[in-house]
Amino acid sequence: MDISGDTAFLKGYDPSAFDRPSVTVDLILLGMVRHRLSALLLQRVEPPQVGRWALPGGFVAIDESLDAAAARVLRDKAGVEGAHLEQLYSFGAVNRDPRMRVITIAYLALLREEQMSVAARGGRVSVVALEGDPVVAIGDGGAELPLAFDHQQILTLARDRLRGKIDYSDIAFAFLPDRFTLRALQDVHEAVLGTKLNKPAFRRRILDRGRLIATGLREEDASHRPAELFSLRSIL
Amino acid sequence: MDISGDTAFLKGYDPSAFDRPSVTVDLILLGMVRHRLSALLLQRVEPPQVGRWALPGGFVAIDESLDAAAARVLRDKAGVEGAHLEQLYSFGAVNRDPRMRVITIAYLALLREEQMSVAARGGRVSVVALEGDPVVAIGDGGAELPLAFDHQQILTLARDRLRGKIDYSDIAFAFLPDRFTLRALQDVHEAVLGTKLNKPAFRRRILDRGRLIATGLREEDASHRPAELFSLRSIL
DNA sequence: AAAATAGTGTCTTTCAGACAGTATACA
DNA sequence: TGTATACTGTCTGAAAGACACTATTTT
């Protein structure tokens, strides 16, 4: 037991030593597609795990913070800027990647509908619905897509984080445009939680929070009574 | 924008390249001392930041998972085994350590009273109370101790994580022995939240959850009516 | 007018805070 | 018997679920 000295930090460590893990960031790009919580994945074209679906990611540069690396990967690989980005968790099992020791810091990226479309305009890209526990990735045809590495675990944790935060944070609004209806907001909550919610109770709860501004405007293309558009008041 | 291929992963990366960050784990050792949420810190004896107080930490070995590295540091630097350990957050600002680029994965370690005593039996060790927002470290004499690096930020996040989880998780029990009184449990909640709680409401809320087993035993050394001892039912 | 969804009023249930009261130990 | 703390009963108020009702748009 040694708690007495500076060995708590870095002493005697050779910065050029070889036995150092690689560090990456992986992005969980989430959005609402047809009222379902969906993620954007890439299909692997080289071994290992050819054909399986993986999270976009990239190495953390030596002169780049973790947040900056995540923002760079989001911009370069998905063509998206200004999305909500938050660190999720770090994964460092020794054999999570068979090629080398890689520690990855996973980031949640919450995208609006048009950002999802932009990001999905790539090559071997798929937007999958996330369902079940642990989550599985459901492709367009309804089939389950196989996930690479430990990415099922990462996606499950991402979904669970959203569920835990949606009731007390502003994450739901990250999926929506600047002006939105209460119905659209409720759809987001229901998709994330995987349950139906009571409409009057939901309206009360959200409106009583005092964060929404009624714009007086109404949605345009409805084939029935149009709902009022609200916007989010920025933090007081 | 490149979202089409395997560049999402590791292609063309030279594992022996030099421009790689170091990776450490830092431990926030928390416990209850005199009914206050307290952390265990080490005083630095070498530059930089000599004299400031820092979290115990250590490098992640190449063949060691993050969780294993945290458990090893807990054992080797604090002499503690079997404590509740959970990953908190990863910190990777470029200049958080002036000596080199270090990414640290911070872990919460929740200790019972006797584990805190064991851990505190070192050299330049201090058990400090955490108060305020952001938290400051209050030493034995009531004076504020200066913190090293970004450790104030880490400690603040640790406290906030506890506050967020205490109402729906089992973390409070990690601070307590196997048998404990409801008063002791309420003391933990109050110390973490920094507020006083209503006693009847607290009892109802905890007991209605159905997780506590009344042992029929009572505390021993009270100079008044002794309270009943409860134990936690392991997960159903 | 019919259909569809927006939006509201209100009853009930649940649960936390408040507070006063009773119970039981030691001194 | 006094005092300190454990423990309980009950009132009140806040907030959510259920559900029926009204409102407003398009077809």
Side-chain angles (χ1 to χ4, degrees):
Chain A
M1 168 175 169
D2 159 31
I3 198 169
S4 57
D6 197 51
T7 47
F9 274 91
L10 306 180
K11 183 178 179 178
Y13 186 84
D14 174 6
S16 67
F18 265 62
D19 58 345
R20 213 184 282 193
S22 301
V23 181
T24 64
V25 291
D26 280 350
L27 260 51
I28 304 110
L29 298 160
L30 296 173
M32 305 304 298
V33 176
R34 289 188 294 276
H35 295 180
R36 297 165 87 187
L37 178 64
S38 303
L40 196 143
L41 301 175
L42 309 182
Q43 191 170 30
R44 291 187 51 74
V45 295
E46 290 196 8
Q49 314 234 16
V50 170
R52 289 182 172 266
W53 296 82
L55 301 168
F59 286 92
V60 176
I62 195 73
D63 59 349
E64 179 184 55
S65 72
L66 301 176
D67 291 355
R72 172 178 55 78
V73 171
L74 180 63
R75 177 168 27 84
D76 293 352
K77 301 232 158 156
V80 170
E81 299 202 66
H84 174 99
L85 254 189
E86 81 176 51
Q87 189 186 304
L88 173 64
Y89 198 80
S90 297
F91 296 85
V94 173
N95 290 309
R96 53 180 298 279
D97 187 308
R99 290 163 294 182
M100 63 171 97
R101 176 71 198 283
V102 183
I103 291 166
T104 197
I105 292 97
Y107 273 78
L108 276 178
L110 308 186
L111 274 58
R112 292 187 295 277
E113 195 174 346
E114 78 276 12
Q115 293 175 318
M116 278 299 268
S117 314
V118 168
R121 258 191 263 292
R124 293 172 173 281
V125 181
S126 187
V127 172
V128 301
L130 300 181
E131 288 176 7
D133 195 14
V135 297
V136 294
I138 308 291
D140 253 356
E144 179 180 336
L145 304 188
L147 296 168
F149 307 113
D150 54 357
H151 292 186
Q152 181 184 45
Q153 183 189 357
I154 298 178
L155 284 163
T156 301
L157 189 67
R159 197 268 318 268
D160 292 346
R161 170 75 64 91
L162 282 186
R163 285 189 176 172
K165 288 187 72 172
I166 197 164
D167 276 337
Y168 68 88
S169 76
D170 288 346
I171 52 166
F173 304 107
F175 293 117
L176 295 170
D178 281 350
R179 298 165 198 274
F180 51 85
T181 66
L182 286 175
R183 180 73 246 175
L185 182 62
Q186 187 172 345
D187 285 339
V188 171
H189 280 249
E190 291 178 344
V192 168
L193 296 173
T195 61
K196 289 292 173 191
L197 297 173
N198 182 274
K199 185 166 73 162
F202 181 79
R203 293 179 64 91
R204 256 184 321 211
R205 187 156 56 91
I206 298 294
L207 293 175
D208 287 356
R209 206 162 292 172
R211 298 288 310 279
L212 293 193
I213 304 168
T215 64
L217 304 171
R218 310 209 146 245
E219 57 181 340
E220 299 267 301
D221 51 357
S223 68
H224 48 75
R225 173 174 175 181
E228 179 160 20
L229 293 167
F230 290 81
S231 62
L232 179 66
R233 190 194 309 276
S234 38
I235 339 137
L236 307 174
Chain B
M1 168 175 167
D2 159 32
I3 199 169
S4 57
D6 196 54
T7 47
F9 276 89
L10 306 181
K11 182 180 179 179
Y13 185 83
D14 173 6
S16 67
F18 265 63
D19 58 347
R20 214 183 282 191
S22 302
V23 181
T24 63
V25 291
D26 280 351
L27 260 53
I28 305 108
L29 298 161
L30 295 174
M32 291 292 151
V33 177
R34 288 186 294 274
H35 296 181
R36 298 166 87 187
L37 178 64
S38 303
L40 197 143
L41 301 174
L42 308 183
Q43 190 168 32
R44 290 186 52 72
V45 296
E46 289 196 8
Q49 313 232 18
V50 170
R52 288 182 172 264
W53 295 83
L55 300 167
F59 286 93
V60 176
I62 196 71
D63 59 349
E64 177 183 58
S65 72
L66 301 176
D67 291 355
R72 172 178 56 78
V73 171
L74 179 63
R75 176 167 28 83
D76 292 353
K77 301 230 159 160
V80 170
E81 298 201 66
H84 174 97
L85 253 189
E86 82 176 49
Q87 190 187 304
L88 174 65
Y89 197 80
S90 297
F91 295 84
V94 173
N95 290 307
R96 56 180 296 280
D97 187 308
R99 288 162 295 182
M100 64 172 97
R101 177 72 198 281
V102 183
I103 291 166
T104 196
I105 292 96
Y107 274 78
L108 276 178
L110 309 186
L111 274 58
R112 293 189 293 279
E113 196 174 346
E114 78 277 12
Q115 292 174 318
M116 278 299 267
S117 314
V118 168
R121 257 191 264 291
R124 292 175 173 279
V125 181
S126 188
V127 172
V128 301
L130 300 179
E131 288 177 6
D133 196 16
V135 297
V136 294
I138 309 290
D140 252 356
E144 179 179 337
L145 303 188
L147 296 168
F149 308 114
D150 54 358
H151 292 187
Q152 181 183 46
Q153 184 190 355
I154 299 178
L155 283 163
T156 301
L157 190 68
R159 197 269 317 268
D160 292 347
R161 169 76 63 92
L162 281 187
R163 285 190 177 173
K165 289 188 71 172
I166 197 163
D167 276 337
Y168 68 87
S169 76
D170 288 347
I171 50 165
F173 304 108
F175 292 117
L176 294 170
D178 282 348
R179 299 168 196 273
F180 50 85
T181 65
L182 285 175
R183 179 73 247 175
L185 182 61
Q186 185 171 346
D187 285 339
V188 171
H189 280 247
E190 291 178 343
V192 167
L193 295 172
T195 60
K196 288 292 172 192
L197 297 173
N198 182 275
K199 186 164 73 164
F202 182 79
R203 293 180 65 92
R204 256 184 323 212
R205 186 157 58 88
I206 298 294
L207 292 174
D208 288 356
R209 206 163 291 171
R211 298 287 310 282
L212 292 195
I213 305 168
T215 63
L217 304 172
R218 310 209 145 246
E219 57 180 341
E220 299 267 300
D221 50 357
S223 68
H224 49 75
R225 175 175 175 180
E228 180 161 19
L229 292 167
F230 290 81
S231 63
L232 180 66
R233 189 192 310 276
S234 39
I235 340 140
L236 307 173

